[in-house]
């Protein structure tokens, strides 16, 4: 990683923070590199059961730092010749900074405050759960600059908001608040202290069977593109991987004995 992102792990929870507070965590080349490196590190952490993603300072992420990206060059272009180059599986470098949170095997909770524009909104949308401050400022901002959202937003917004709502927000780049985000479909919860609420959710997740949690997330990632037969089979396949394993047995025993579970991994 670099000085754009920090990771602190405690009690199986990774507290991940964007650390370019003086620029409201706007996305410059170093921030793209730092986020992608953080994602790779998190993916390799076997003991992490939940991730909380937030931004330091006054904002979550103000979106693209247009000044830093305007200079061009390999760094500003993410090291790709064309946006159609797939540098990270099915994504290019810019899409990966949002998609990696969805791709991580453990649940991710985004804690959003302050400004969350453009690429910042797409990054937050990559989380499984979003806790947003009521006075947060949010927008699908790209049309302001004559662009379209292209950091994974179209893939990540499926199922979050109604399509006509997404179209209107995209076409107009209208700003909306964290309180509005709940009604529009972008927020799971609205809370005055989103980071504290997100950590509370993460603790709940970390106290569940981590094997089942990862299979559940994988199934959520798959089922939108499956027909009914495929979903039913995927449920059965993933349940077979979990049932009667040591952690699943421990989940049952801890409930029966009214004690905290002692999971491995």
């Amino acid at each position: 990683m670099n000085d754009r992102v920090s990771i602190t792990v405690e009690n199986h929870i990774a507290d991940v923070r964007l650390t370019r507070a003086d620029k409201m965590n706007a996305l410059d080349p170093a921030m793209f590199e730092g986020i992608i490196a953080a994602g790779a590190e998190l993916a390799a952490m076997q003991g992490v059961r939940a991730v909380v993603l937030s931004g330091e300072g006054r904002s979550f992420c103000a979106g693209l730092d247009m000044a830093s990206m305007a200079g061009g060059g390999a760094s500003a272009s993410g090291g790709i010749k064309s946006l159609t180059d797939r540098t990270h599986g099915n994504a290019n470098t810019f899409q990966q900074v949002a998609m990696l949170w969805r791709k991580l095997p453990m649940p991710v909770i985004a804690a959003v405050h302050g400004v969350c524009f453009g690429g910042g909104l797409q990054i937050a949308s990559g989380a499984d759960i979003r806790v947003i401050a009521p006075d947060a400022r949010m927008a699908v901002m790209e049309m302001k600059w004559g662009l379209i959202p292209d950091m994974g937003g179209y893939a990540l917004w499926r199922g979050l908001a109604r399509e006509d709502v997404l179209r209107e927000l995209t076409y107009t780049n209208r700003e909306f608040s964290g309180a509005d985000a709940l009604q529009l479909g972008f927020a799971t919860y609205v809370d005055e202290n989103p980071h504290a609420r997100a950590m509370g959710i993460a603790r709940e997740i970390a106290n569940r069977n981590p094997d089942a949690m990862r299979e559940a997330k994988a199934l959520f990632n798959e089922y939108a593109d499956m027909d009914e037969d495929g979903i039913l089979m995927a449920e059965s396949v993933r349940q077979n991987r979990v049932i009667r394993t040591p952690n699943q047995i421990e989940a049952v025993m801890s409930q029966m004995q009214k004690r905290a579970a002692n999971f491995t991994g």
Side-chain angles (χ1 to χ4, degrees):
M1 289 188 300
N2 55 28
D3 62 357
R4 293 290 194 260
V5 184
S6 69
I7 299 177
T8 304
V9 179
E10 186 175 354
N11 296 325
H12 302 287
I13 298 169
D15 189 356
V16 181
R17 302 188 185 222
L18 309 182
T19 57
R20 199 185 181 208
D22 59 319
K23 298 293 185 180
M24 294 195 292
N25 299 309
L27 299 164
D28 66 347
M31 182 69 88
F32 280 101
E33 294 170 6
I35 292 173
I36 289 174
E41 184 172 337
L42 290 164
M45 290 182 176
Q46 295 299 313
V48 171
R49 300 176 185 170
V51 173
V52 173
L53 173 65
S54 64
E56 290 189 349
R58 296 180 292 127
S59 293
F60 177 77
C61 176
L64 201 64
D65 184 337
M66 298 299 290
S68 72
M69 304 297 287
S75 180
S77 67
I80 58 179
K81 294 179 181 179
S82 169
L83 291 176
T84 58
D85 291 348
R86 303 294 90 178
T87 56
H88 296 82
N90 65 347
N92 66 29
T93 298
F94 304 108
Q95 293 166 333
Q96 181 69 3
V97 299
M99 295 301 299
L100 72 85
W101 308 104
R102 185 64 56 87
K103 295 175 180 178
L104 284 175
M106 70 288 286
V108 178
I109 307 105
V112 177
H113 75 292
V115 173
C116 182
F117 288 162
L121 177 57
Q122 291 173 85
I123 289 170
S125 299
D128 297 78
I129 297 164
R130 280 158 298 283
V131 185
I132 302 177
D135 59 351
R137 299 173 58 198
M138 310 181 76
V140 182
M141 188 60 74
E142 285 76 10
M143 196 61 70
K144 178 179 180 179
W145 307 108
L147 300 169
I148 67 169
D150 71 336
M151 286 174 51
Y154 283 97
L156 295 168
W157 292 330
R158 291 183 300 175
L160 288 187
R162 284 186 359 220
E163 186 175 315
D164 61 331
V165 171
L166 289 171
R167 288 172 184 253
E168 186 264 334
L169 292 173
T170 301
Y171 300 160
T172 66
N173 63 268
R174 174 173 64 87
E175 186 176 316
F176 56 96
S177 70
D180 295 331
L182 186 63
Q183 183 269 329
L184 292 172
F186 291 94
T188 312
Y189 296 106
V190 173
D191 198 287
E192 293 284 353
N193 191 336
H195 189 267
R197 182 72 172 271
M199 290 298 290
I201 296 169
R203 285 191 290 271
E204 290 283 335
I205 291 171
N207 286 327
R208 301 293 188 266
N209 177 0
D211 302 329
M213 198 65 67
R214 291 184 177 219
E215 296 292 349
K217 176 166 181 174
L219 189 54
F220 275 119
N221 286 349
E222 293 173 344
Y223 84 112
D225 298 316
M226 292 180 174
D227 60 17
E228 183 177 279
D229 292 352
I231 293 171
L232 294 174
M233 180 57 73
E235 285 181 355
S236 300
V237 168
R238 293 192 177 279
Q239 188 75 301
N240 270 340
R241 296 176 185 172
V242 173
I243 197 166
R244 289 186 288 276
T245 60
N247 275 343
Q248 192 268 320
I249 293 169
E250 171 62 11
V252 173
M253 295 303 296
S254 65
Q255 291 295 318
M256 294 179 65
Q257 297 170 4
K258 301 186 183 337
R259 60 171 175 79
N262 183 25
F263 297 118
T264 60

